[in-house]
Amino acid sequence: MYKHEKYPYGCIELESSKGLLKESNLEWLSDSYSKADIVEKSGEIFKHIRNNISDKEKKVWALLGGEKKNKWICLQVASANNIQKEIISDIKCMLPLKKDDRKQWSSKFHSNIFKVQYGMDVRCQKYRDMCEHFDFFRIIVINPEEYIKGNNNGEFDLIKYTEVKFAYETKALYWNPFNEEHKILEVIKNENK
């Protein structure tokens, strides 16, 4: 983490139900989760996510983090065809490593080739760093039609455009553009000059 900087680390500080977090723009998935909740009650969190988020449609979501429950910064913004699976996978990355966190790995043509250790890739390290540095977390689902209202997403996919725009406007701490998102980011930067 930025040892020379203090919270909010150059990010836009967000307050619940104001500005970018207006109720019409998004859906609060839940109350906030503490760091301890993620470690001790992950099963309950996963069940809540499975019961409240559809796994059937492409959506945009964001992970907020904070030192207090009502003031947030955006840590990560993402979109996926199945955000339910993605959110659960990302929260699992926040969990501490255990020696038995291994699973069988299979290739396209062969089963059980070797065991892989969870949590050793950059993505998992990123989420573990979030859990280490923030006390509270909140997951939101962003409504692209409401959030982008009045803006032209041009030739870009509405979901991807929304992801990039929200990340840009909140200065999401851990977000990085991927593939087409670089081009979308340049367009959004030029629109905001």
Side-chain angles (χ1 to χ4, degrees), residues 36-164:
D37 289 340
I38 288 175
V39 173
E40 297 165 11
K41 301 178 183 176
S42 58
E44 292 172 35
I45 294 170
F46 300 152
K47 183 178 178 182
H48 182 81
I49 291 167
R50 286 186 192 102
N51 290 337
N52 291 284
I53 295 180
S54 169
D55 61 355
K56 307 267 188 271
E57 59 186 305
K58 189 173 183 180
K59 289 187 176 186
V60 181
W61 69 281
L63 177 65
L64 308 180
E67 294 178 346
K68 297 179 181 173
K69 283 188 178 185
N70 61 347
K71 295 216 180 205
W72 306 98
I73 62 171
C74 185
L75 301 177
Q76 182 68 303
V77 185
S79 60
N81 290 326
N82 181 345
I83 65 169
Q84 179 190 101
K85 183 178 177 181
E86 185 174 72
I87 292 168
I88 289 171
S89 174
D90 290 347
I91 291 174
K92 283 181 179 178
C93 288
M94 294 175 139
L95 299 173
L97 284 175
K98 298 176 187 167
K99 287 184 180 180
D100 59 343
D101 278 345
R102 297 168 61 87
K103 72 171 187 173
Q104 288 293 332
W105 186 86
S106 301
S107 70
K108 178 73 173 171
F109 305 109
H110 306 279
S111 297
N112 302 325
I113 297 171
F114 68 99
K115 287 187 176 187
V116 293
Q117 178 80 33
Y118 283 117
M120 299 308 281
D121 63 356
V122 172
R123 186 177 132 262
C124 285
Q125 291 177 57
K126 175 173 62 174
Y127 282 95
R128 222 167 255 111
D129 189 74
M130 289 177 196
C131 197
E132 190 176 304
H133 288 91
F134 293 91
D135 295 322
F136 297 97
F137 300 92
R138 197 153 190 192
I139 299 164
I140 59 174
V141 179
I142 301 162
N143 179 339
E145 289 79 15
E146 287 295 321
Y147 183 71
I148 300 299
K149 200 180 250 181
N151 289 321
N152 180 7
N153 59 306
E155 77 229 45
F156 302 113
D157 174 78
L158 179 64
I159 299 291
K160 278 291 172 200
Y161 186 86
T162 301
E163 174 187 340
V164 175

